[in-house]
Amino acid sequence: MLIDKPVGWTSHDVVAAVRRQLGTRSVGHAGTLDPFATGLLVVLIGRATRLARFVEAGEKGYEATVRFGIATDTDDSAGTPTMTVEPDAWPTREALEQAAASLEGVQSQRPPAYSAKHVGGTRAYVLARAGETVDLAPVDVMVHRLQLGEWTPPTLMMHATVGRGTYIRALARDLGSRVGLPAHCATLRRTSIGPFSVADAVTPDEISLAALRTPAEMVAMLPQVRLDAAAVRDVGFGRSVPQQDAQEGHAALLAEDGRLLAVAGAVNGRWQPEVVLEPAA
Amino acid sequence: MNGSVVTVGTFDGVHRGHHAVLAEIRRRAVSSGRRSMLVTFEPHPLEVVNPDAAPALLTTTTERLAALATSGIDRVMTLRFDRAMAALDPAAFVDQVLLPRCDLRELVIGHDHGFGRGRQGDVATLQALGASRGFPVDVVPPVLLADGLPVSSTAIRRAVTGGDLDGAARMLGRSYSLEAVVKRGEGRGRQIGFPTCNLAIARRKLLPPDGVYAVVVETAAGRFGGMMNQGHRPTFDDGRRLLEAHLFGFEGVLYDRSVSVQWVAPLRDIRRFDSVASLRQQLEVDSHRARTMLAVAHPDLEAPLRASE
């Protein structure tokens, strides 16, 4: 199910709403959204919860506003200001374009202190809340595109397409430091994950069975392989099946009628099931 | 038995508000050693009094009696509602029907109740009547939803008509459903790989908007998930309005057998298909979505995810 998370809700609040509305316990989500952010949250139900890692692997699109001149401890608008600068002149659009371009591609990104990253076995935000100084090691992340929108100082709109593990809050902070100003992410809206768009999402009060998508739709980004009856049985037992032509990566293994049986990875020229949705009886 | 604790009403839908009234008369009957008794009517009074304003029904008489049969009430008395019955004022109804025929000792009514000619028998009138004839009259307050609105047959009719099946189910305490006899069809579904039961529906039964729905069907052969086409069949262009249910994993025939169909969730609107091939392709998509919904809503059904071979 695709849900448009309202501002102020935690991702878990959304999961709880789905549980309540559908009366089912087994509900999970792919890719957390912070409470201050809105937009697309992919919620997975029942056996499909195990498809989360394939959904999370998709490129994510965000619309964000960056507030220059103010840094916060969380790098977002929910935090406490730590530094305020009122410059004589705000950076030009050209300077911002240049800074944005330098943030594209593979980046070494320092995660925000208030993040779910682990530091010595503890979540970074737990340490940060306890008042400890959190030093997170930079992580390599991928920023596919960083396009600037309207620039009405001190607020900049931007559209970012990023890979797994990239913090838009950190991107806002780093955009500031490239132009020599403190900055934080004021608003954030996730517009897409892989092939899924927030335009197709429902609001929490529209959660119903009718909003459910099939497991096959949730892995629409993977190449699809249709299996014959013998291969269907093998996959049900978790056994690998031969590939038609040599392929790499992952594929969705479908029955003849198009329902999703399993997601498999390529191993030695065969499809090895990794997540089986319909185990053989 | 030592007289009856009685309630009177049409009880269309047998919803959560009705159940609160039934639970109250059962409780009183048990504690006073009396019999619990429901007095109801057939047909719906408005069909006699003002047929043009009579609503389509949430439950046919058969469905209503089936729902009441599991309520634990000692006796259900169905009175024929005709012009003579409609002409009785509340006092006459009490004196000529409830006291002699039911051995009434206590009367319990729902909060929105009115009976007798022109629904004159409101709570105050009934309490005055009861005082003069020596029986107490008590009112069961409405059952309120989370948003504070009372459960009522009218609110449920509005929800069903508007396609809000979840809302209707919350007020009913169960999914909205239909009992019907399976008729022999023309076998066209079978030809394209989706055999269906064609259902004969009662004229006055209220239906949600036309469309394709995920359903649960209870048959003599067990419970099955399925999908149901409700409406006319534009692709075959013969103008008739029909309910046709395809049951997942069911092989066999149910002709002339009675089945119960629960509406679970809407799948899509009815539309015309250019070819039987494109209809068939759409039915495959529909069946995957229906199975996905049923796997979540009714995990107890056998293998709702698997295709019928």
Side-chain angles (χ1 to χ4, degrees):
Chain A
M1 192 180 283
L2 309 183
I3 296 183
D4 187 350
K5 187 185 86 62
V7 71
W9 289 48
T10 66
S11 298
H12 184 77
D13 290 339
V14 174
V15 166
V18 173
R19 279 201 186 114
R20 199 168 49 242
Q21 204 61 32
L22 300 185
T24 176
R25 282 182 47 216
S26 159
V27 180
H29 64 82
T32 307
L33 266 184
D34 292 329
F36 94 103
T38 67
L40 182 62
L41 191 68
V42 175
V43 172
L44 297 160
I45 297 150
R47 289 176 179 175
T49 50
R50 291 178 297 144
L51 300 174
R53 61 190 169 106
F54 305 108
V55 175
E56 278 169 3
E59 276 183 21
K60 300 181 184 77
Y62 293 91
E63 275 166 12
T65 57
V66 185
R67 170 66 163 88
F68 288 87
I70 301 174
T72 70
D73 55 355
T74 57
D75 296 327
D76 64 35
S77 53
T80 311
T82 53
M83 191 203 290
T84 304
V85 171
E86 191 74 43
D88 297 333
W90 293 102
T92 61
R93 188 176 179 90
E94 289 65 39
L96 289 170
E97 296 274 9
Q98 231 170 24
S102 76
L103 287 170
E104 285 181 333
V106 177
Q107 295 288 315
S108 176
Q109 186 182 72
R110 182 169 52 82
Y114 284 84
S115 67
K117 299 272 181 202
H118 284 96
V119 179
T122 310
R123 299 276 194 189
Y125 62 79
V126 175
L127 297 173
R129 276 191 207 135
E132 290 186 37
T133 311
V134 183
D135 249 334
L136 285 166
V139 178
D140 277 349
V141 297
M142 179 66 186
V143 179
H144 296 281
R145 275 183 307 284
L146 190 54
Q147 291 169 312
L148 303 190
E150 205 178 314
W151 168 226
T152 43
T155 305
L156 173 74
M157 310 267 289
M158 68 178 192
H159 182 94
T161 311
V162 303
R164 194 173 193 159
T166 311
Y167 284 90
I168 305 301
R169 290 184 277 159
L171 217 47
R173 176 199 66 203
D174 293 348
L175 196 59
S177 65
R178 298 284 160 113
V179 294
L181 283 172
H184 70 272
C185 184
T187 69
L188 180 62
R189 179 166 177 76
R190 182 150 70 201
T191 52
S192 66
I193 301 178
F196 309 114
S197 162
V198 74
D200 301 322
V202 298
T203 60
D205 42 319
E206 293 168 337
I207 294 168
S208 72
L209 290 173
L212 279 175
R213 285 151 191 270
T214 60
E217 284 177 79
M218 299 319 289
V219 290
M221 57 287 194
L222 299 177
Q224 299 191 338
V225 178
R226 299 245 170 179
L227 302 181
D228 59 29
V232 167
R233 211 167 28 253
D234 281 342
V235 166
F237 286 112
R239 292 194 286 255
S240 67
V241 293
Q243 290 184 335
Q244 300 293 2
D245 32 37
Q247 283 180 280
E248 292 298 312
H250 287 96
L253 305 185
L254 307 179
E256 259 172 36
D257 66 2
R259 71 189 198 278
L260 181 68
L261 299 168
V263 176
V267 178
N268 300 330
R270 295 174 71 84
W271 290 121
Q272 176 62 51
E274 291 182 12
V275 171
V276 179
L277 270 81
E278 287 190 26
Chain B
M1 282 277 182
N2 184 12
S4 305
V5 182
V6 177
T7 189
V8 183
T10 50
F11 278 67
D12 183 30
V14 196
H15 55 62
R16 287 175 56 207
H18 295 144
H19 279 291
V21 174
L22 297 175
E24 179 60 20
I25 62 170
R26 226 168 39 231
R27 191 186 65 74
R28 288 172 181 235
V30 167
S31 69
S32 61
R34 293 186 171 122
R35 179 168 60 182
S36 57
M37 185 164 172
L38 164 66
V39 176
T40 186
F41 307 99
E42 159 63 22
H44 193 284
L46 272 178
E47 282 192 58
V48 175
V49 176
N50 186 357
D52 291 339
L57 297 175
L58 294 169
T59 43
T60 63
T61 300
T62 318
E63 290 164 357
R64 200 156 47 114
L65 294 179
L68 289 168
T70 57
S71 68
I73 294 297
D74 294 321
R75 196 171 155 208
V76 175
M77 184 161 96
T78 305
L79 298 175
R80 170 134 205 94
F81 197 91
D82 51 18
R83 299 223 153 260
M85 180 75 74
L88 295 180
D89 63 23
F93 185 70
V94 167
D95 292 336
Q96 294 171 31
V97 180
L98 295 185
L99 289 171
R101 293 182 62 185
C102 307
D103 197 8
L104 167 77
R105 300 296 166 84
E106 287 181 55
L107 182 61
V108 173
I109 52 175
H111 70 106
D112 58 351
H113 191 76
F115 73 51
R117 191 172 62 212
R119 288 173 69 89
Q120 295 162 353
D122 61 10
V123 175
T125 319
L126 290 174
Q127 281 174 335
L129 268 173
S132 68
R133 286 155 179 79
F135 62 86
V137 177
D138 288 296
V139 179
V140 175
V143 169
L144 301 181
L145 296 173
D147 57 12
L149 295 174
V151 171
S152 73
S153 301
T154 309
I156 301 171
R157 287 189 198 107
R158 205 176 300 129
V160 171
T161 309
D164 177 12
L165 294 170
D166 290 346
R170 267 197 299 280
M171 292 189 271
L172 282 166
R174 61 182 190 281
S175 295
Y176 188 56
S177 66
L178 161 89
E179 277 202 27
V181 172
V182 178
K183 290 184 300 183
R184 194 171 288 271
E186 289 156 58
R188 286 189 285 216
R190 188 170 300 281
Q191 284 167 23
I192 58 171
F194 286 90
T196 60
C197 313
N198 299 283
L199 305 174
I201 47 164
R203 189 178 52 86
R204 296 214 57 86
K205 174 77 180 181
L206 181 70
L207 297 176
D210 281 354
V212 181
Y213 290 88
V215 294
V216 169
V217 184
E218 285 180 35
T219 74
R223 288 173 83 226
F224 295 89
M227 56 186 186
M228 181 165 75
N229 191 86
Q230 178 193 316
H232 46 278
R233 294 175 302 171
T235 304
F236 293 109
D237 212 14
D238 59 6
R240 283 184 305 157
R241 202 159 179 280
L242 280 175
L243 293 186
E244 300 171 283
H246 169 73
L247 278 54
F248 300 140
F250 174 76
E251 288 166 55
V253 280
L254 292 165
Y255 295 144
D256 302 325
R257 307 294 286 270
S258 181
V259 298
S260 165
V261 179
Q262 295 167 28
W263 280 269
V264 175
L267 286 164
R268 63 172 167 87
D269 292 339
I270 299 282
R271 63 183 184 87
R272 167 177 278 282
F273 292 90
D274 298 334
S275 65
V276 170
S278 62
L279 169 61
R280 185 192 175 136
Q281 203 168 30
Q282 180 63 50
L283 290 176
E284 286 211 334
V285 172
D286 293 341
S287 85
H288 293 150
R289 290 200 59 221
R291 287 166 202 277
T292 305
M293 292 173 178
L294 290 163
V296 170
H298 294 273
D300 54 309
L301 288 174
E302 261 182 54
L305 275 172
R306 281 161 212 253
S308 48
E309 299 306 331

